[in-house]
């Protein structure tokens, strides 16, 4: 009997340990991972897409050709699934460098995640598909063409705070908004760069209404004709920092237009 009880107890302990292991891993978020803390460099595969001196794309995050202009200035990258995070990685910033000689300078360049690299990009744990401009920026002087000609190179990366200088958070209104549906793309967030939640309030109130993140950096809310601007926004970043952008969008806004707030993280 003692032998059987001991075996049963051992099995019980083993089941508890296994359950704990899977529970801890299933509850872990990408933001708990050491690779996504501000720390040392990890390894990844680096490639480039688009024109050799091009800006890549902001398509999967909703920013379209905004990546060509400051403050992105073509220094962007598409990330694979573990970086793009189904759009939750939009706006995060990374330092990326390569050391392959004689092509690479070994000096890090800073890029913003603005796009997704799907399919074969997920054959490795971490894959950055940089714009031609950003990929070439990793090169030694005179070696940008030769570096791009390699097609791919092993890189080191680390998460860093975003810093867009004097640029404030911007709100780009969807071209198809109507009195019952409001949609906005949010750009240029400093700090962690990505947003956990967004709320919108109409003129003269503090009654913030939750918005839904439908894809990338696109947030929407169901409204009604009485919901009028100027609109204020309460933004919560993925590190739970809260920021309020008051009267960021005027009452007579133009669909498709971008409006800059007076604040940033």
């Amino acid at each position: 009997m003692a032998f059987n009880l001991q075996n049963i107890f051992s099995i019980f302990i083993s089941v508890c340990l296994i359950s704990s292991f899977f529970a801890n891993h299933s509850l872990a978020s990408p933001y708990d991972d050491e690779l996504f803390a501000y720390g040392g460099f990890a390894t990844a595969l680096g490639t480039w897409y688009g024109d050799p001196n091009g800006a890549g794309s902001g398509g999967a995050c909703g920013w379209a050709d905004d990546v060509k202009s400051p403050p992105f200035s073509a220094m962007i990258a598409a990330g694979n699934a573990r970086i793009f995070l189904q759009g939750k990685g939009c706006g995060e910033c990374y330092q990326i460098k390569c050391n392959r000689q004689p092509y690479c300078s070994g000096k890090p360049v800073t890029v913003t995640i603005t796009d997704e690299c799907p399919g074969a990009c997920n054959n490795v744990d971490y894959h950055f598909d940089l714009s031609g401009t950003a990929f070439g920026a990793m090169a030694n002087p005179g070696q940008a063409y030769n570096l791009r000609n390699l097609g791919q190179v092993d890189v080191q990366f680390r998460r860093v705070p975003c810093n867009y200088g004097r640029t404030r958070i911007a709100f780009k209104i969807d071209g198809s908004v109507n009195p019952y549906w409001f949609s906005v793309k949010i750009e240029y967030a400093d700090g962690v760069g990505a947003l956990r939640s967004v709320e919108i309030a109409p003129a003269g109130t503090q009654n913030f209404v939750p918005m839904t993140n439908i894809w990338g950096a696109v947030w929407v809310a169901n409204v009604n004709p009485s919901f009028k601007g100027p609109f204020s926004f309460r933004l919560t970043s993925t590190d739970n920092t809260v920021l309020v952008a008051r009267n960021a969008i005027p009452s007579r806004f133009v669909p498709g237009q971008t409006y800059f707030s007076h604040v940033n993280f």
Side-chain angles (χ1 to χ4, degrees):
M1 178 65 74
F3 177 79
N4 290 337
L5 286 174
Q6 185 176 6
N7 283 345
I8 292 171
F9 181 75
S10 298
I11 293 170
F12 175 78
I13 294 298
S14 298
V15 170
C16 290
L17 289 173
I18 292 171
S19 299
S20 175
F21 175 85
F22 283 107
N24 288 338
H25 280 70
S26 64
L27 292 174
S29 76
Y31 303 103
D32 297 325
D33 194 312
E34 290 182 1
L35 293 174
F36 291 87
Y38 302 137
F41 285 90
T43 58
L45 182 64
T47 55
W48 64 279
Y49 72 112
D51 295 331
N53 295 300
S57 170
C61 290
W63 295 326
D65 290 337
D66 291 355
V67 296
K68 296 179 180 180
S69 305
F72 289 140
S73 302
M75 295 299 291
I76 63 92
N80 70 349
R82 296 185 70 178
I83 298 165
F84 185 71
L85 302 174
Q86 296 182 325
K88 299 298 184 184
C90 287
E92 294 183 343
C93 294
Y94 292 87
Q95 284 186 339
I96 302 179
K97 64 181 180 178
C98 63
N99 296 307
R100 184 170 177 180
Q101 292 300 319
Y103 312 103
C104 301
S105 70
K107 299 177 181 178
V109 300
T110 300
V111 298
T112 302
I113 299 301
T114 66
D115 204 359
E116 181 181 15
C117 185
C121 287
N122 293 303
N123 291 342
V124 296
D125 286 342
Y126 298 99
H127 187 140
F128 291 87
D129 198 21
L130 289 80
S131 70
T133 295
F135 196 86
M138 296 189 297
N140 273 318
Q143 290 290 337
Y145 173 84
N146 294 327
L147 176 60
R148 283 191 292 265
N149 203 41
L150 295 177
Q152 66 180 45
V153 66
D154 291 332
V155 298
Q156 290 76 49
F157 75 97
R158 67 180 177 186
R159 180 94 178 274
V160 294
C162 299
N163 184 350
Y164 297 112
R166 295 183 178 181
T167 302
R168 300 297 182 245
I169 292 175
F171 299 86
K172 187 173 186 177
I173 301 175
D174 191 280
S176 57
V177 296
N178 60 59
Y180 299 92
W181 185 79
F182 188 82
S183 176
V184 66
K185 303 162 188 177
I186 303 175
E187 303 178 288
Y188 316 135
D190 280 345
V192 295
L195 298 174
R196 188 181 302 280
S197 68
V198 175
E199 300 163 280
I200 183 172
T205 78
Q206 295 296 315
N207 298 324
F208 285 93
V209 176
M211 303 188 77
T212 301
N213 181 212
I214 57 172
W215 60 276
V218 182
W219 297 80
V220 303
N222 293 319
V223 294
N224 59 62
S226 67
F227 199 89
K228 297 184 180 297
F231 297 127
S232 298
F233 295 86
R234 184 160 60 197
L235 313 175
T236 302
S237 64
T238 52
D239 67 351
N240 293 318
T241 302
V242 178
L243 180 72
V244 175
R246 299 193 185 281
N247 301 326
I249 294 178
S251 56
R252 295 184 178 181
F253 63 82
V254 178
Q257 182 67 45
T258 298
Y259 295 93
F260 286 84
S261 69
H262 297 289
V263 295
N264 212 327
F265 288 102

